[in-house]
Amino acid sequence: MNEIRPGRGKRAALLIEAIDEISILSQQIGEVEAKFMPLVAELENKLVASIARVDNHALEKQAEFSRVADREKKVFEAKLNTAVTKTVNRMVNEVERADGLSVRSQVLIALTIAITASAISVYGSYWLFGREQAEQAAIGRAVMAVWNELDEKSKSKIEQAY
């Protein structure tokens, strides 16, 4: 009964040899990990630092763009106001020079001046603010999409806050 089968010894020897090789490979994996973990950590730190630098640069450029846009907006508003004022003053001066005009003619001239000034102002406002409508609409749609996904509890908290 205690007979050893003829292939069992070889099989056991092969299993022991395989287990030894697996333990050697496990040790080598541990050594490789020990060697490469500092390198991986260093690369990860450099990646995080690079991402932070890119984020900071993007924020700086965004702030710079906002400053330039605000400055240009103020310059345009000032030029628009100057142009409207000059146009209105020129028309008023023409009306003042025109002695002998009937009251009806003077009223029509004043009405023309007012309509022209209003049209210039509306056009300037549209040029200044109207081009942003598509962007504002997109932001509004995004806000509404997020708002529709919120549960009632979150909506009520937001409404109470504002």
Side-chain angles (χ1 to χ4, degrees):
M1 282 193 153
N2 288 340
E3 286 182 28
I4 298 178
R5 293 186 196 165
R8 215 162 223 259
K10 290 181 183 178
R11 188 172 171 196
L14 287 174
L15 284 174
I16 291 172
E17 186 179 335
I19 291 173
D20 286 341
E21 287 180 8
I22 289 173
S23 67
I24 291 170
L25 286 174
S26 176
Q27 289 174 352
Q28 289 176 346
I29 289 172
E31 292 171 3
V32 168
E33 283 180 352
K35 288 179 183 177
F36 283 107
M37 287 310 286
L39 178 63
V40 170
E42 182 181 344
L43 288 174
E44 184 179 5
N45 290 339
K46 287 184 178 182
L47 177 64
V48 168
S50 296
I51 290 171
R53 279 196 307 264
V54 168
D55 284 344
N56 288 338
H57 182 70
L59 290 174
E60 289 172 3
K61 289 300 178 182
Q62 190 175 28
E64 181 182 341
F65 178 75
S66 294
R67 286 191 302 272
V68 169
D70 288 341
R71 187 175 50 235
E72 290 297 321
K73 180 178 173 182
K74 288 176 184 176
V75 168
F76 177 75
E77 286 175 345
K79 287 181 179 180
L80 178 64
N81 288 337
T82 303
V84 168
T85 303
K86 284 182 181 179
T87 303
V88 169
N89 286 338
R90 190 178 318 126
M91 291 181 169
V92 167
N93 288 338
E94 288 177 11
V95 169
E96 287 176 354
R97 278 189 248 140
D99 290 332
L101 290 177
S102 67
V103 173
R104 182 176 182 205
S105 297
Q106 289 179 357
V107 169
L108 286 175
I109 291 171
L111 185 60
T112 304
I113 291 169
I115 291 172
T116 304
S118 296
I120 291 171
S121 178
V122 167
Y123 175 74
S125 295
Y126 174 76
W127 191 82
L128 185 61
F129 302 109
R131 295 184 293 167
E132 297 174 0
Q133 287 178 345
E135 296 167 6
Q136 292 171 354
I139 292 171
R141 285 190 296 273
V143 167
M144 287 308 298
V146 171
W147 180 260
N148 291 334
E149 293 176 4
L150 293 175
D151 60 350
E152 291 302 320
K153 186 177 179 183
S154 299
K155 287 181 182 179
S156 66
K157 283 183 182 179
I158 293 171
E159 287 173 349
Q160 289 174 358
Y162 294 101

